[in-house]
Amino acid sequence: MSKLKLMLFLVFASLLLSGCWSKRELNELAIVVALGIDKVDDDYEVSIQVVDPSEISSKQPSSGRSPVVTYHAKGKSVFEAIRRMTTITPRKPYFSHLQIVVIGEELAREGLNEPLDFIARDHEFRNDFDVIVSYDATAKEVLNILTPIEKIPANKLLNSIQVSEKSFGSTLSVSTDELLNTLSSKEKSAVLSAVEIQGDTKLGIDQTNVERIKTPVILKYAGIAVFKEDKLVGVLSEEESTYYNFLNNKIESTIQVIACPKGGDLSTEITKSSSKIKGTFKNSQPKITITIDITQNVGEVNCDINLTKDKTIHLIDKKTEEKIKEHTEKTLKIIQKDYKLDILAFGEALHRTDPKEWKKIQKEWSTIYPEVTVNIEVHVTTQGLGTIQNSLLYKSKE
C-alpha cells in the first residue's frame, strides 16, 4: 500500500512540476534593448528601443523598415511610465535583454537615485547593463538616432563605449551594479560616460541617415560625466577623461603624441598602464601618491629622429613621462579644485592605510580633500619600434 501511495504521489508531483507556469512566448513580448529616462516638467518620460525581429532575422528578407522602433510614455514615476507604455506598444515590453540605459542630462542634474530605484528593484532587470548620460541632448533624442553598420543603435552605443575604453581610453564602462555601489558609498563619487549627438537630430531619425556614405548624424562619446552624490555637476573633456583613466588605472591602450627635438612629432601606443594610489598620514596630515607605470611602442614617426640609438629611446621615455605627468596633474586639479569631488577614491586609500587616522578626518573629508597634497610619479618604458626603425620620410644625419 505504501508503494502505491508513493507512486501516486510521484505521478501527481510530476504533473504539477511539468512546464513553466509563468512562461511567455517570444511572439508575445517586445524585446527592449535600450531604455532612456528624461525629466519633463514634473513627469518622467521613458523611452524604449524595441527590436523588430523580422528586420534583423537572417532567414527573412528585409522589408526596408527600421530594425528598431522607439516608444515613449510619461508618468509620475518610471514605473508608471513603463506600464503606460503598454497602451501604445503592440506587445508587453520585456527588459531581460536590456543592454544600455541612457539618463537625460536634465534628469541627471536633478539626481539619479529616484529613476534608478525602479531599475534596481524590479526582478526583470539584470544588473550588468551599462548606464550612460546624454550630453546637450535628451535620452529620447539619443535613442531615436539610427546608426550605420550596427543595425541596432543600442549595440552601437555599447560597442563604442567598450572599444573606446580598450583602445583609446576616453570612455568608461559602468554597469548598474557598479553605479549603485558607488552611489551608496560615502567615500567616492560616481562617474559615467556621456554621449552627444553630432548633427541635426531631426535627420538622425530618418532611414536615410544610414543609407549615405557620409552619415550626417552620429552618436559620439563626449567624455566622462562627474557626479556629486547622485547629481551631475559637469563633464570632463575627451582629453581630460583619458588622463582621468590614467589616474584611475583604467587605461588598457591609448595614443600619446610627443614633439621631436628637430620639429615634427612622434606617436606612441600605450600597450600597458598600471596605476596605484597610496594614501599616507604624516603628523596626522593626509598625503596621496599616485604611481603610473607605462609600457609603450613607437607607432608613427613624422620627424627626423634616429631610433637606433639608446639615447633617443630614453628621450622618448622622458618626453612621454613629462606629458602624462603634466596632463594628469591638470586633470587632477580640475577634479580636486574645481569639482571638489573624490572620484579617484583617495578617501578609501587613506582608510585602508590607517583606519584610526582616517576616522579622525572622515567627517571633514569633503573640506580637507581639495587641499590634500598629491604627488604623481610616471615611469615609461619604450619596447617596440614597429617593423621599421627610422622614418621613411626623413633620413637622419646623426
Side-chain angles (χ1 to χ4, degrees), residues 50-69:
V50 176
V51 174
D52 183 345
S54 62
E55 290 303 304
I56 61 171
S57 173
S58 59
K59 297 181 180 180
Q60 297 182 27
S62 172
S63 66
R65 298 196 306 266
S66 170
V68 293
V69 181

Side-chain angles (χ1 to χ4, degrees), residues 357-375:
E357 287 291 338
W358 166 250
K359 194 173 181 179
K360 294 178 184 177
I361 66 168
Q362 185 176 5
K363 291 182 179 179
E364 290 77 35
W365 178 238
S366 60
T367 56
I368 294 172
Y369 164 76
E371 304 302 324
V372 171
T373 301
V374 182
N375 180 40

Side-chain angles (χ1 to χ4, degrees), residues 36-40 43-47 102-107 134 137-141:
I37 310 174
D38 289 299
K39 196 68 179 292
V40 180
D43 292 334
Y44 289 99
E45 183 170 27
V46 173
S47 306
V102 185
I103 305 293
E105 182 179 356
E106 185 178 336
L107 175 57
S134 64
T138 63
K140 178 180 179 179
E141 290 171 333

Side-chain angles (χ1 to χ4, degrees), residues 159-193:
N159 291 344
S160 286
I161 197 172
Q162 292 176 343
V163 171
S164 176
E165 183 179 28
K166 291 179 180 179
S167 60
F168 192 57
S170 62
T171 57
L172 193 62
S173 178
V174 181
S175 70
T176 320
D177 200 30
E178 292 172 324
L179 177 59
L180 291 171
N181 287 336
T182 302
L183 290 175
S184 64
S185 170
K186 295 181 180 179
E187 297 172 0
K188 188 178 180 182
S189 297
V191 293
L192 294 173
S193 289

Side-chain angles (χ1 to χ4, degrees), residues 106-176:
E106 185 178 336
L107 175 57
R109 292 190 183 279
E110 288 190 17
L112 297 177
N113 286 342
E114 286 188 21
L116 287 178
D117 182 84
F118 169 73
I119 295 173
R121 193 179 300 276
D122 193 273
H123 70 279
E124 200 171 273
F125 286 84
R126 303 189 320 271
N127 60 0
D128 60 348
F129 52 83
D130 277 38
V131 183
I132 61 175
V133 176
S134 64
Y135 182 56
D136 284 342
T138 63
K140 178 180 179 179
E141 290 171 333
V142 168
L143 293 192
N144 279 340
I145 301 297
L146 293 172
T147 56
I149 301 181
E150 286 289 354
K151 287 186 175 182
I152 301 174
N155 288 350
K156 183 268 182 254
L157 286 170
L158 185 63
N159 291 344
S160 286
I161 197 172
Q162 292 176 343
V163 171
S164 176
E165 183 179 28
K166 291 179 180 179
S167 60
F168 192 57
S170 62
T171 57
L172 193 62
S173 178
V174 181
S175 70
T176 320

Side-chain angles (χ1 to χ4, degrees), residues 61 201 220 254 256 324:
T201 304
K220 178 183 180 296
T254 189
Q256 291 291 298
I324 293 175

Side-chain angles (χ1 to χ4, degrees), residues 3 19 21 74 80 116 119 136 138 142 198 240 248 329 339 355 374 379:
K3 288 184 178 180
W21 67 271
K74 294 180 182 179
E80 181 188 15
L116 287 178
I119 295 173
D136 284 342
T138 63
V142 168
Q198 290 193 342
E240 291 163 356
N248 199 34
E329 286 176 343
Y339 291 132
V374 182
H379 309 290

Side-chain angles (χ1 to χ4, degrees), residues 127-348:
N127 60 0
D128 60 348
F129 52 83
D130 277 38
V131 183
I132 61 175
V133 176
S134 64
Y135 182 56
D136 284 342
T138 63
K140 178 180 179 179
E141 290 171 333
V142 168
L143 293 192
N144 279 340
I145 301 297
L146 293 172
T147 56
I149 301 181
E150 286 289 354
K151 287 186 175 182
I152 301 174
N155 288 350
K156 183 268 182 254
L157 286 170
L158 185 63
N159 291 344
S160 286
I161 197 172
Q162 292 176 343
V163 171
S164 176
E165 183 179 28
K166 291 179 180 179
S167 60
F168 192 57
S170 62
T171 57
L172 193 62
S173 178
V174 181
S175 70
T176 320
D177 200 30
E178 292 172 324
L179 177 59
L180 291 171
N181 287 336
T182 302
L183 290 175
S184 64
S185 170
K186 295 181 180 179
E187 297 172 0
K188 188 178 180 182
S189 297
V191 293
L192 294 173
S193 289
V195 65
E196 65 180 357
I197 300 171
Q198 290 193 342
D200 188 342
T201 304
K202 294 179 181 178
L203 293 176
I205 65 176
D206 195 279
Q207 186 70 15
T208 58
N209 193 52
V210 296
E211 294 175 349
R212 306 181 189 186
I213 293 177
K214 184 180 179 181
T215 306
V217 186
I218 61 171
L219 295 173
K220 178 183 180 296
Y221 282 102
I224 292 175
V226 180
F227 289 78
K228 182 178 182 179
E229 295 178 347
D230 69 324
K231 294 176 175 61
L232 174 66
V233 293
V235 177
L236 297 175
S237 69
E238 184 178 85
E239 183 180 79
E240 291 163 356
S241 298
T242 299
Y243 289 104
Y244 162 75
N245 280 332
F246 268 113
L247 295 167
N248 199 34
N249 196 30
K250 293 294 183 179
I251 290 291
E252 293 188 40
S253 179
T254 189
I255 305 298
Q256 291 291 298
V257 181
I258 60 175
C260 295
K262 299 179 182 179
D265 56 54
L266 180 149
S267 298
T268 67
E269 178 193 13
I270 307 296
T271 57
K272 185 179 179 181
S273 176
S274 174
S275 66
K276 294 180 181 178
I277 298 175
K278 183 179 179 181
T280 56
F281 286 92
K282 187 175 182 180
N283 298 324
S284 297
Q285 295 299 310
K287 182 181 178 181
I288 298 293
T289 301
I290 304 176
T291 305
I292 307 173
D293 294 309
I294 291 168
T295 303
Q296 66 178 7
N297 295 328
V298 174
E300 182 179 354
V301 179
N302 294 313
C303 64
D304 183 6
I305 194 169
N306 190 347
L307 296 175
T308 63
K309 294 190 174 183
D310 289 342
K311 69 175 184 179
T312 304
I313 303 303
H314 293 318
L315 176 66
I316 293 171
D317 290 346
K318 183 180 178 182
K319 281 188 168 291
T320 308
E321 288 171 354
E322 289 173 349
K323 181 179 180 181
I324 293 175
K325 181 176 173 64
E326 177 189 354
H327 286 278
T328 50
E329 286 176 343
K330 285 182 179 178
T331 300
L332 180 59
K333 184 179 179 181
I334 293 170
I335 295 168
Q336 194 177 5
K337 302 290 185 180
D338 296 346
Y339 291 132
K340 298 180 172 61
L341 295 172
D342 189 8
I343 59 176
L344 289 164
F346 290 169
E348 291 181 2

